[in-house]
Amino acid sequence: MRNITLAATQMSCSWDIDDNIARAEGLVRQAADAGAQVILLQELFETPYFCLEQDLQYFDMARTLEDSKVVNHFGALAKELDVVLPVSYYERAGLTRYNSLAVIDADGSVLTNYRKTHIPQAPGYEEKFYFSPGDTGFQVVETKFGRVGCGVCWDQWFPETARSLVLQGAEILMFPTAIGSEPKKPELDSSGHWRRTMQGHAAANMVPLVASNRVGHETQGETEGQFYGTSFIAGYTGEILADADRNTEAVITASVDLDAANAYRDNWGIFRDRRPNMYEALRNLDGMAAQGQ
């Protein structure tokens, strides 16, 4: 038996960066007080979601890993509280910018700096203007409390992300997120679809999964976004163990037995029965290489 308590958080963000950091710290402390050992904060919580529109002024917010205020702050907090914290931030690397995630171990050390692989481009989600596609590949790290694999937001819609992480040994999947309304399709509410997609990743790979999303109404220029929260923790058969509402700041926790999850996965034989040589179509965007075209 190897029990671990996971936490997801959600909050709204303003342009008062110090207040955002302080409120995020408060959520982390609340989760740690509830016994959580691995705690997930949402995507780019240092500021509002500045990708609603394209605006050159926001390029200047990017910081190197070493100079990131939010990474340094939560590195010290992880060490103080003895918790694992994946921390999302806007990274500058030379002349390039990434949507990045520093995975901080319970001793405060940065285990890896993951750069978001899949970059969306849609009205209200103008990320290709701000970020280059990540070059790190999917990464799994051995933390004090288990092997953690992370993606960031749009990554979570791709089954290849989750499968790649679990094939590399991930025992826990974590996805910090910023998702809500669609400015050009105000009638569309993707919250249920969003959740079911990741529940499927948990079920198909038989690992617990944590997703943290922001809440609140944000405006940039002429574009408005309403983020729908509904952060959740899924068990290793995809069941919802804990979830938050659409509108309010929240901390949720759930405990899982990683040894039981590993045994369950082994018993099903999902990874034993894989046929990688039959998946050639996945290696090409058009899926045609397997047919010799």
Side-chain angles (χ1 to χ4, degrees), residues 13-247:
C13 298
S14 72
W15 281 110
D16 186 336
I17 291 174
D18 289 337
D19 181 63
N20 293 335
I21 290 175
R23 289 192 297 113
E25 177 180 329
L27 297 178
V28 171
R29 290 187 181 277
Q30 184 179 336
D33 287 345
Q37 298 148 302
V38 182
I39 303 167
L40 185 62
L41 292 157
Q42 67 209 35
E43 182 183 19
L44 299 172
F45 64 88
E46 191 174 5
T47 66
Y49 180 72
F50 52 86
C51 308
L52 292 176
E53 292 187 355
Q54 298 183 13
D55 193 329
L56 285 169
Q57 68 173 315
Y58 298 125
F59 284 178
D60 291 337
M61 296 191 309
R63 294 291 182 270
T64 65
L65 174 65
E66 295 75 18
D67 291 337
S68 169
K69 181 176 183 178
V70 71
V71 172
N72 288 325
H73 183 94
F74 285 92
L77 185 63
K79 183 176 182 180
E80 176 192 341
L81 300 179
D82 193 35
V83 297
V84 173
L85 292 175
V87 174
S88 173
Y89 74 107
Y90 188 15
E91 182 190 6
R92 177 191 294 274
L95 299 178
T96 307
R97 297 168 183 84
Y98 297 100
N99 187 335
S100 297
L101 189 74
V103 182
I104 302 171
D105 206 359
D107 63 359
S109 63
V110 175
L111 296 176
T112 192
N113 185 54
Y114 169 69
R115 292 167 172 166
K116 184 173 179 177
T117 299
H118 303 95
I119 308 299
Q121 185 66 34
Y125 302 92
E126 303 281 352
E127 294 199 17
K128 281 186 167 66
F129 182 75
Y130 295 99
F131 313 123
S132 292
D135 58 0
T136 60
F138 300 119
Q139 301 173 340
V140 173
V141 292
E142 184 77 51
T143 75
K144 179 177 180 179
F145 303 110
R147 294 187 297 278
V148 174
C150 299
V152 177
C153 201
W154 192 224
D155 289 334
Q156 69 206 359
W157 290 90
F158 295 83
E160 296 88 348
T161 301
R163 180 52 56 92
S164 295
L165 290 168
V166 177
L167 282 171
Q168 293 179 73
E171 299 176 292
I172 306 159
L173 297 176
M174 309 195 88
F175 292 99
T177 303
I179 190 171
S181 59
E182 303 291 334
K184 297 296 185 182
K185 296 181 179 180
E187 74 284 358
L188 176 61
D189 179 358
S190 64
S191 59
H193 184 189
W194 173 75
R195 179 178 290 195
R196 290 189 295 273
T197 295
M198 283 180 283
Q199 287 180 257
H201 297 335
N205 292 285
M206 301 177 193
V207 293
L209 183 150
V210 184
S212 291
N213 187 26
R214 69 174 59 207
V215 295
H217 184 271
E218 298 183 15
T219 301
Q220 183 182 349
E222 298 181 355
T223 304
E224 297 183 2
Q226 181 69 42
F227 296 92
Y228 53 59
T230 61
S231 302
F232 69 96
I233 302 171
Y236 56 84
T237 63
E239 75 279 20
I240 298 295
L241 300 177
D243 59 356
D245 67 19
R246 296 179 66 98
N247 300 306

Side-chain angles (χ1 to χ4, degrees), residues 1-2 147 166 169-171 203 205-208 236-237 256-272:
M1 182 177 294
R2 188 157 49 103
R147 294 187 297 278
V166 177
E171 299 176 292
N205 292 285
M206 301 177 193
V207 293
Y236 56 84
T237 63
V256 296
D257 182 346
L258 296 183
D259 283 343
N262 290 342
Y264 187 89
R265 189 164 55 250
D266 286 345
N267 185 62
W268 272 84
I270 290 295
F271 290 88
R272 177 198 65 206

